[in-house]
């Protein structure tokens, strides 16, 4: 079938909307989804900029939301017309998947970044195969082939376009706090970088009942927005002796938890150095390959600290997304305050606004 897709051609060139072919064949376990909306996440940009060695040209997009148009063989519990959110793919068979940790699937890179799946990407352009199946979807497109494992069915009255970012960015920030750091009520937490993932971390901290929630960023308007979403304090990320300034808000002894979403080595160092004794930190950013984080050994060891790398909020999407949707229904996950909508054709403007900070979470509408 003919579909419209935004293709990433080269690091410096803008996304280009093209008409290309998507295979009509669905392999066992696959579903065809008509995309209503797709969030833009930093991993899309990291791949386009080739901070990750994933071959271009490729159709990206991994926060797709839409309606199932067709169901392949061996798919249970999904039918034509179902509304679905898409998340990351996983094999379902390896040890990590069986242990309920699909974010650490043995095949994670092959399935999500390199887009390896049965029947290839399914995309063709000008007679050649086009890279796709990004996060088992490639949702910067009018249609995508996903798998039953990476779609989550949701009620039809829910707003697909507002919920699209649950599949990656929101799951990542909220999951790092709720699933990994798991703060006790009244605990203190510092969130470094309040873009979409950090804002989800702030919302997660509020949901967990944290008493002190410190947002750190270099953009004043983002800090103001973080206060709206539950932060109790804000600190400019350029503050000299940043770690000390953050620690001072944790009753002078440091904070119980931190979340770094920036991947900037100095911020990461501060996110660890601001912890109190036996505090824990979650690191979720994907900075360019080769990036190293400076950690003072005496702080790490002497403090008995825990520093955890976290992929996709340690979430099992089919379990965690419905939890987030419950919070959304209760008004405790006010996504409307961080999402801005753009028409599909405006994808390059949406990315520009994301980079300048004018928009926190851009979501493309496909029709
Ligand atoms: Zn697996
Ligand atoms: Zn993402």
């Amino acid at each position: 079938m003919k579909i419209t897709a935004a293709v990433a051609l080269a690091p410096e060139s803008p996304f280009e909307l093209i008409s290309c072919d998507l295979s009509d064949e669905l392999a066992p376990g696959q579903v065809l989804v008509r995309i209503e909306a797709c969030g833009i996440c930093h991993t899309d940009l990291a791949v386009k900029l080739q901070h990750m060695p994933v071959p271009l040209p490729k159709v990206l997009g991994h926060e797709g939301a839409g309606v199932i148009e067709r169901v392949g063989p061996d798919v249970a519990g999904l039918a034509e017309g179902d509304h679905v959110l898409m998340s990351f793919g996983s094999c379902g068979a390896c040890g990590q998947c069986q242990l309920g940790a699909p974010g650490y699937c043995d095949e994670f890179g092959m399935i999500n970044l390199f887009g390896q799946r049965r029947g290839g990407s399914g995309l063709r352009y000008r007679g050649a195969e086009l890279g796709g199946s990004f996060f088992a979807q490639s949702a910067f497109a009018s249609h995508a082939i996903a798998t039953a494992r990476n779609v989550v069915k949701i009620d039809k009255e829910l707003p697909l376009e507002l919920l699209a970012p649950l599949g990656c960015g929101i799951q990542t920030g909220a999951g790092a706090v709720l699933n990994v750091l798991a703060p006790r009520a009244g605990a203190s937490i510092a969130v470094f970088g309040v873009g979409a993932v950090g804002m989800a971390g702030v919302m997660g901290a509020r949901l967990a009942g944290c008493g002190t929630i410190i947002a750190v960023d270099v953009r004043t308007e983002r800090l103001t927005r973080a206060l709206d979403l539950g932060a109790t304090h804000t600190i400019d990320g350029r503050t000299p002796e940043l770690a000390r300034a953050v620690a001072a808000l944790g009753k002078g002894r440091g904070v119980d938890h931190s979340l770094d979403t920036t991947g900037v080595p100095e911020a990461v160092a501060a996110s660890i150095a601001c912890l109190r004794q036996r505090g824990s930190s979650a690191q979720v950013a994907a900075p360019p390959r080769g990036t190293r984080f400076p950690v003072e050994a005496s702080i790490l060891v002497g403090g008995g600290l825990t520093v955890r790398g976290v992929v996709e909020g340690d979430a099992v999407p089919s379990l965690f997304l419905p939890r987030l949707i419950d919070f959304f229904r209760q008004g405790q996950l006010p996504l409307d305050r961080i999402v801005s909508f753009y028409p599909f054709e405006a994808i390059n403007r949406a990315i520009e606004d994301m980079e300048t900070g004018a928009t926190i979470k851009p979501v493309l509408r496909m029709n």
Side-chain angles (χ1 to χ4, degrees):
M1 64 185 293
K2 281 280 174 209
I3 68 161
T4 304
V7 62
L9 295 163
E12 300 312 322
S13 52
F15 281 93
E16 210 171 284
L17 255 61
I18 58 164
S19 168
C20 57
D21 292 293
L22 181 65
S23 168
D24 290 315
E25 302 277 312
L26 292 178
Q30 292 180 346
V31 294
L32 173 69
V33 180
R34 185 181 77 244
I35 313 285
E36 292 282 328
C38 184
I40 303 176
C41 175
H42 274 283
T43 307
D44 297 309
L45 309 187
V47 169
K48 178 170 168 290
L49 293 168
Q50 294 287 282
H51 294 165
M52 293 174 170
V54 175
L56 301 180
K58 189 174 177 78
V59 178
L60 304 173
H62 63 286
E63 290 181 346
V67 179
I68 292 192
E69 280 204 340
R70 209 145 46 78
V71 173
D74 303 336
V75 172
L78 292 168
E80 187 187 326
D82 283 349
H83 288 202
V84 291
L85 302 179
M86 287 184 265
S87 191
F88 61 94
S90 55
C91 79
C94 74
Q96 297 299 341
C97 281
Q98 291 189 50
L99 285 167
Y104 309 94
C105 172
D106 288 354
E107 305 295 324
F108 189 91
M110 293 310 280
I111 291 173
N112 293 293
L113 300 174
F114 293 96
Q116 301 287 319
R117 70 174 164 203
R118 287 190 243 187
S121 75
L123 290 169
R124 291 188 78 76
Y125 181 53
R126 291 182 174 156
E129 182 168 297
L130 176 62
S133 192
F134 189 57
F135 281 73
Q137 45 184 295
S138 282
F140 290 162
S142 58
H143 297 77
I145 294 175
T147 66
R149 265 190 81 75
N150 76 308
V151 303
V152 178
K153 184 176 162 180
I154 66 168
D155 286 347
K156 287 184 181 164
E157 78 274 8
L158 288 163
L160 275 171
E161 49 192 22
L162 198 52
L163 297 179
L166 290 187
C168 183
I170 304 303
Q171 166 172 271
T172 295
V177 174
L178 294 171
N179 298 334
V180 178
L181 298 174
R184 285 194 287 196
S188 52
I189 184 169
V191 179
F192 288 74
V194 280
V197 174
M199 291 294 186
V202 168
M203 290 189 260
R206 188 175 191 184
L207 282 162
C210 287
T212 302
I213 304 172
I214 305 154
V216 183
D217 204 291
V218 294
R219 293 189 174 115
T220 316
E221 63 285 2
R222 287 197 169 178
L223 292 175
T224 308
R225 187 69 57 92
L227 287 171
D228 272 1
L229 293 172
T232 56
H233 301 77
T234 62
I235 294 187
D236 187 311
R238 291 160 296 200
T239 304
E241 298 205 58
L242 180 59
R244 193 183 295 258
V246 174
L249 295 173
K251 301 196 174 83
R253 307 195 64 92
V255 291
D256 297 310
H257 307 285
S258 68
L259 166 65
D260 181 83
T261 71
T262 70
V264 174
E266 296 75 23
V268 171
S271 76
I272 296 168
C274 71
L275 294 172
R276 66 175 296 161
Q277 298 289 96
R278 301 175 66 224
S280 63
S281 177
Q283 303 291 325
V284 304
R289 263 166 85 90
T291 301
R292 286 171 174 268
F293 295 150
V295 181
E296 172 75 42
S298 65
I299 293 176
L300 182 72
V301 178
L305 305 181
T306 303
V307 181
R308 254 290 302 271
V310 184
V311 173
E312 296 283 356
D314 262 23
V316 175
S318 59
L319 301 177
F320 193 55
L321 264 50
R323 261 180 84 193
L324 292 178
I325 288 171
D326 283 344
F327 293 137
F328 173 78
R329 285 186 201 270
Q330 294 158 8
Q332 298 191 77
L333 201 70
L335 296 171
D336 53 306
R337 295 202 214 156
I338 60 169
V339 164
S340 305
F341 294 110
Y342 294 81
F344 190 19
E345 312 79 71
I347 180 170
N348 293 304
R349 178 161 59 83
I351 289 167
E352 222 177 276
D353 287 355
M354 187 172 157
E355 284 172 331
T356 60
T359 286
I360 294 171
K361 172 55 86 176
V363 171
L364 303 170
R365 284 177 162 139
M366 297 335 192
N367 43 36

